[in-house]
Amino acid sequence: MKFSAIDLFSGAGGVSEALKKHFDIKCAVEFDEIIASTYALNHGSDHLLVKDIRKVKKKKWNKIKNKLNGENLDLLVATPPCQGFSRHSRKKSVTNADDRNKLIMQVVRVAKIFQPNYILFENVDNIINFKIFHVFLSLLSNLCPKGYKRDLNRPSYHLRFEVVDAVNFGVPQHRKRMILIGKKINEFPNTDAIIKESVKGIPYVTNPLPLWPKPEKAPTLGKHLEKYNLSKLDAGGVDEKDKLHRCRNLSPDNLVRIRATPHNGGSRSEWREDRLVLECHKKKNVNFGDVYGRMNFNDYAPTITCGCLAYTKGRFGHPLEDRAISMREAALIQTFPLYYKFTGKKGGKAYEGSSENIATQIGNAVPVKLAESFVDLIYNQLINEFQKSPFPEQLVGVSKE
């Protein structure tokens, strides 16, 4: 039994990887042609829409809607670009006019068309400080103070949103993300689902949706990676049997630096030779202390970013070997399966093209295990609802295998 789903801003397909076990993906939307090529390598292209979501007309959405045979969509997933909401954004939250931030409103637009039974939304933790996100919540809730619909043409949702660390959901890295689950409201009034605002201006739900997965602590980095038995590499090396298991070369100076860095969590603060320290790092109150550091097999990885291949951009040194982590290691830390393919060029074959493009896809992805925790929860809810329905064959857009 599979339910129906749509994956907006699908990226390299991390969420679709979590979805495909229980859901029939009716459509995935990705704007970037190179990233879409990676998606197609792993999930096919028949349901993939490579287009700016803002330019997808209602006529096209209705054509996709026809695949549901008159039923509502079961699950709408959206993981819009997060860069404009990041804490590293140079613009203040209140005045940030990054055009990408407006993309979250496309979720409201698509929800109006498909009336999904559930919504799953993911972004950076800092999004909660942005006014546009507050508006987004109000539009999804679509409730007046008495618990009735504000706009009769749009669905209303009982929401729950929290900031989570992926390490508590089976992912061996510290990665804070804001996750939102929404369940369609079918009976009114519903005063539990009203969106309010705290004294500090932070939005909250009167009584959040009582639906959330149980935490599952991830294994340490070493335990997670040991089962894959990856080959050892030198700096700049590549595994001939797995082309994604390749790492950047290091300059002679950086090779000296990493050799001077203690194994399993060592950092530049432990270098004994002052000449190894960059002048900019000798100044007081310098941040980015993880730069030139090693990961620790006995702990969890730091957040995998788009710069995860660079020893100079974070704690991306291998715990034991004198090199930065490989692309395969980065993908495995993001909990992509070992067989997952990436390409760095438009229409490219597996592992072709730019390593930088592949690193960006890996760093921006939703960790598969994190997505699975929430996707599986929603699937089980749909199964329970299906079984309790007096006319299960009429419930939602279910297909049987």
Side-chain angles (χ1 to χ4, degrees):
M1 180 178 292
K2 284 195 173 184
F3 294 89
S4 58
I6 286 177
D7 187 359
L8 303 182
F9 314 100
S10 59
V15 175
S16 282
E17 182 66 23
L19 282 169
K20 64 184 183 182
K21 179 170 65 173
H22 298 308
F23 288 85
D24 180 10
I25 305 171
K26 299 297 183 181
C27 178
V29 184
E30 172 52 48
F31 170 66
D32 188 288
E33 292 180 311
I34 296 176
I35 299 173
S37 296
T38 288
Y39 184 99
L41 281 175
N42 296 279
H43 306 293
S45 58
D46 289 347
H47 65 282
L48 178 61
L49 192 57
V50 186
K51 195 168 185 177
D52 184 336
I53 193 171
R54 293 166 293 191
K55 296 180 180 179
V56 180
K57 296 181 179 180
K58 187 176 181 180
K59 183 178 179 180
K60 179 62 176 178
W61 286 126
N62 284 335
K63 187 176 180 180
I64 296 168
K65 188 178 179 180
N66 289 338
K67 298 179 183 179
L68 300 174
N69 299 318
E71 303 291 348
N72 292 340
L73 181 71
D74 293 310
L75 174 60
L76 175 65
V77 181
T79 56
C82 61
Q83 291 85 354
F85 295 117
S86 170
R87 295 182 189 278
H88 300 302
S89 174
R90 295 181 180 180
K91 299 177 182 179
K92 293 182 179 180
S93 297
V94 176
T95 59
N96 193 326
D98 192 312
D99 196 49
R100 292 170 296 185
N101 293 357
K102 299 175 185 177
L103 288 170
I104 64 173
M105 292 306 174
Q106 293 299 314
V107 182
V108 178
R109 176 187 173 220
V110 176
K112 180 179 179 180
I113 295 170
F114 286 90
Q115 307 272 317
N117 294 306
Y118 286 89
I119 291 175
L120 178 61
F121 178 96
E122 181 267 2
N123 212 275
V124 292
D125 58 340
N126 196 46
I127 192 174
I128 200 167
N129 294 311
F130 286 72
K131 293 297 182 184
I132 194 169
F133 180 66
H134 302 185
V135 175
F136 171 76
L137 293 173
S138 180
L139 290 173
L140 281 185
S141 174
N142 190 32
L143 293 175
C144 71
K146 292 186 177 181
Y148 292 96
K149 278 191 176 186
R150 286 184 181 276
D151 183 342
L152 297 178
N153 294 316
R154 287 191 289 107
S156 295
Y157 290 91
H158 193 174
L159 306 175
R160 178 170 179 171
F161 52 94
E162 294 183 12
V163 173
V164 304
D165 189 339
V167 80
N168 295 318
F169 295 91
V171 182
Q173 66 168 302
H174 288 293
R175 188 182 189 92
K176 289 191 175 181
R177 309 296 288 182
M178 197 289 302
I179 306 288
L180 176 149
I181 297 178
K183 181 179 181 181
K184 188 179 177 186
I185 300 170
N186 294 313
E187 295 182 3
F188 300 88
N190 187 322
T191 54
D192 288 337
I194 294 172
I195 301 294
K196 298 183 178 180
E197 198 169 277
S198 70
V199 176
K200 294 183 179 180
I202 302 297
Y204 68 94
V205 183
T206 305
N207 287 303
L209 178 70
L211 184 63
W212 206 252
K214 292 181 179 180
E216 178 193 349
K217 199 73 171 181
T220 60
L221 179 63
K223 289 291 185 183
H224 176 71
L225 291 179
E226 68 179 3
K227 59 181 176 284
Y228 299 107
N229 196 30
L230 299 176
S231 62
K232 292 184 178 181
L233 295 177
D234 293 324
V238 56
D239 184 340
E240 290 302 318
K241 294 181 180 179
D242 180 359
K243 300 297 184 183
L244 198 68
H245 187 37
R246 67 178 189 260
C247 59
R248 277 189 178 179
N249 207 350
L250 294 178
S251 69
D253 285 344
N254 283 338
L255 196 55
V256 173
R257 289 186 174 104
I258 198 167
R259 286 171 177 167
T261 306
H263 290 176
N264 279 322
S267 68
R268 70 170 190 261
S269 65
E270 297 167 278
W271 293 343
R272 295 182 179 181
E273 296 184 48
D274 188 62
R275 69 180 181 84
L276 297 179
V277 183
L278 298 177
E279 288 301 319
C280 60
H281 290 161
K282 294 179 181 179
K283 299 176 182 179
K284 292 183 178 181
N285 301 319
V286 174
N287 293 322
F288 307 108
D290 278 349
V291 173
Y292 296 101
R294 289 184 186 269
M295 292 184 183
N296 188 346
F297 274 150
N298 303 312
D299 200 348
Y300 298 108
T303 302
I304 297 298
T305 67
C306 298
C308 61
L309 304 184
Y311 172 57
T312 61
K313 290 187 178 181
R315 191 175 290 276
F316 299 132
H318 189 276
L320 301 179
E321 298 168 30
D322 295 331
R323 61 175 177 84
I325 62 170
S326 71
M327 288 188 286
R328 178 63 75 192
E329 287 162 336
L332 291 174
I333 294 169
Q334 284 281 62
T335 59
F336 281 98
L338 186 61
Y339 57 76
Y340 210 84
K341 302 177 180 67
F342 293 86
T343 185
K345 62 183 286 188
K346 177 183 174 183
K349 296 179 181 178
Y351 321 131
E352 288 185 340
S354 164
S355 295
E356 297 300 319
N357 287 340
I358 293 175
T360 296
Q361 295 170 40
I362 294 171
N364 283 337
V366 179
V368 177
K369 287 284 288 184
L370 177 61
E372 278 182 354
S373 296
F374 289 85
V375 167
D376 289 355
L377 174 77
I378 292 171
Y379 168 75
N380 288 330
Q381 284 294 118
L382 287 165
I383 285 290
N384 289 337
E385 292 166 11
F386 180 83
Q387 292 173 342
K388 291 177 181 178
S389 170
F391 306 104
E393 70 279 1
Q394 296 179 12
L395 181 70
V396 297
V398 179
S399 62
K400 295 181 179 180
E401 292 189 323

